Amino acid sequence: MLMSLVKTVAAGVLHHTGYLRRAERPALTVLGYHRVLTTPIESVTTSPLGMVATAEMFERQVAYLARAYNVVTLEQIQEACEGGRPLPERAGFVTFDDGWADNYTVAYPILRRLGAPATIFVTTDYVGTEREFWFTTLMRALLEGRRPLQAGDGRAAGWPAEVAGELDRMAGLPRPLRPWHTDRLIEMLKSYPETRIDELVAALAGRLHGPAGESRESFFLTWDQLREMERGGMSVASHTCTHKILTQLADDDAAEELGRSRERLEKELGHPVLSFAFPNGDYEPRHMTLAQEAGYRYFFISTKLRPGGPEGRVFVRPCVHDGVGRGPTGGFSPSLMELHMSGVWDRIRKIAK
Ligand SMILES: [Zn+2]
């Protein structure tokens, strides 16, 4: 509550004094989306809410970008980086990570209507498959499971004490469990190696709702959908093969994720793929080197602002979700939208932590 008041006041002051327009704005303002859903936000059971925008808010956010900025394509950015035509003043750019099917079914028609191009960074091993990310399996088990979570389930599923303790805490929450209740658990699990996370999630899901990975929908885009969107003015680039966080991999495995995903994209799409977005925004300077060795020239990172990378070719993306630009009374607020897009809010939050 206090934080939301601070945010609203800060946004108003910074916006109306022109600070957000002047202050350290990069040449390119990038929006980093994941999913766009028609489901009411409180009934989402397949992704953390920080990754979800409703169709209604997505349309307002992108409409604002299209009104207040010059929305550019990936090709325009790459050309400007190579000394070609410079980007227009107040250039804006829309991106999606992971390659969720809703990018085609929900977001694409809205983007077409608004005349706004976007770029999708896909995890190539998931394209056209029925696979799901581990956090989707976990959330479905906890929020849709046939048997509700009970204290002791984590220990019984072989979970380490720290994360089993978080499950016990969640078991004590009033029912039903809501999507935001799973955020802390998901963040805690991210510190484990991916193969270990998969084992832990499968063991828990087995206890709560039968076999893990049993899915009611296809979560990811197909190659045909990606090709169709490219013909419609969108662009596609790489977000690795399997979405493993590069900093948790041996360098050989990181290089494989980088190289193999680029080869697959080029084969399926029939053009060079030179842009890359880091899963979870995590990298060390050596991963920038590995990515360049794999043939990438342009890099999209989160507001975690890690060092390194080729000058002028690394672009920071504030993550955009349903709450971004939503004012205290639920309507759309350009000031709050600007506060997020500028990256200033992420910096304020970091200081406040
Ligand atoms: Zn991702």
Side-chain angles (χ1 to χ4, degrees):
M1 191 58 215
L2 179 63
M3 209 53 176
S4 119
L5 187 66
V6 167
K7 188 168 154 186
T8 306
V9 172
V13 171
L14 296 173
H15 188 206
H16 292 294
T17 55
Y19 175 82
L20 292 179
R21 194 158 292 198
R22 288 191 312 271
E24 306 164 53
R25 283 306 277 273
L28 185 66
T29 297
V30 192
L31 305 186
Y33 287 99
H34 293 86
R35 308 193 64 187
V36 183
L37 298 177
T38 49
T39 326
I41 201 79
E42 58 285 351
S43 56
V44 170
T45 55
T46 52
S47 295
L49 296 189
M51 294 177 55
V52 176
T54 57
E56 175 224 346
M57 267 314 267
F58 174 74
E59 178 148 8
R60 291 184 186 193
Q61 290 161 346
V62 177
Y64 174 73
L65 189 81
R67 211 166 47 240
Y69 290 76
N70 294 298
V71 183
V72 297
T73 63
L74 182 62
E75 289 65 31
Q76 281 175 279
I77 294 167
Q78 295 183 168
E79 190 194 329
C81 286
E82 297 307 323
R85 185 143 40 120
L87 289 177
E89 286 275 296
R90 281 174 77 75
F93 185 51
V94 181
T95 71
F96 294 87
D97 276 7
D98 307 339
W100 296 90
D102 52 72
N103 296 176
Y104 175 80
T105 54
V106 184
Y108 183 48
I110 296 172
L111 291 164
R112 298 264 294 191
R113 198 158 60 239
L114 296 172
T119 294
I120 304 174
F121 293 94
V122 300
T123 36
T124 53
D125 282 3
Y126 285 77
V127 176
T129 71
E130 307 260 290
R131 292 172 67 173
E132 59 185 38
F133 283 163
W134 62 262
F135 58 74
T136 296
T137 311
L138 176 67
M139 287 181 72
R140 290 199 305 111
L142 291 169
L143 305 179
E144 303 172 1
R146 281 197 283 275
R147 171 161 93 52
L149 180 71
Q150 288 163 10
D153 274 335
R155 265 189 318 280
W159 284 41
E162 183 204 30
V163 275
E166 175 61 14
L167 282 176
D168 288 344
R169 190 191 68 83
M170 290 171 64
L173 293 173
R175 298 295 156 78
L177 284 180
R178 295 297 193 175
W180 49 88
H181 292 140
T182 61
D183 284 353
R184 193 153 88 182
L185 181 66
I186 289 169
E187 282 312 307
M188 289 170 89
L189 283 168
K190 280 181 186 171
S191 65
Y192 291 85
E194 200 94 6
T195 47
R196 180 76 175 124
I197 299 174
D198 288 343
E199 287 166 13
L200 298 177
V201 169
L204 182 73
R207 284 185 69 79
L208 299 184
H209 79 83
E214 167 196 296
S215 187
R216 296 159 314 157
E217 62 177 291
S218 286
F219 289 103
F220 293 98
L221 292 160
T222 66
W223 290 111
D224 279 342
Q225 289 169 333
L226 288 166
R227 283 187 282 262
E228 184 188 329
M229 284 193 283
E230 284 212 321
R231 287 194 298 275
M234 309 289 136
S235 305
V236 179
S238 172
H239 193 44
T240 72
C241 301
T242 65
H243 207 275
K244 290 195 180 75
I245 295 173
L246 295 188
T247 50
Q248 294 179 1
L249 296 180
D251 284 0
D252 281 354
D253 295 331
E256 203 254 350
E257 288 276 343
L258 288 156
R260 191 163 62 77
S261 62
R262 193 169 85 91
E263 283 162 23
R264 182 79 195 274
L265 283 161
E266 295 192 342
K267 181 169 158 276
E268 297 285 351
L269 302 172
H271 62 73
V273 171
L274 303 171
S275 290
F276 179 76
F278 290 90
N280 211 42
D282 288 331
Y283 67 94
E284 301 294 340
R286 73 178 190 283
H287 300 107
M288 275 289 181
T289 309
L290 289 172
Q292 289 175 85
E293 285 168 5
Y296 297 102
R297 297 179 61 79
Y298 316 99
F299 304 94
F300 291 82
I301 64 172
S302 70
T303 49
K304 288 177 187 171
L305 286 180
R306 286 157 190 274
E311 177 94 35
R313 292 162 188 269
V314 180
F315 301 97
V316 179
R317 294 179 300 168
C319 181
V320 185
H321 52 80
D322 203 62
V324 169
R326 201 184 271 287
T329 53
F332 182 79
S333 153
S335 305
L336 284 169
M337 186 72 198
E338 286 287 341
L339 185 68
H340 273 272
M341 290 197 302
S342 64
V344 169
W345 178 244
D346 282 323
R347 290 208 287 279
I348 293 174
R349 236 178 13 181
K350 234 166 268 168
I351 296 163
K353 252 179 198 170

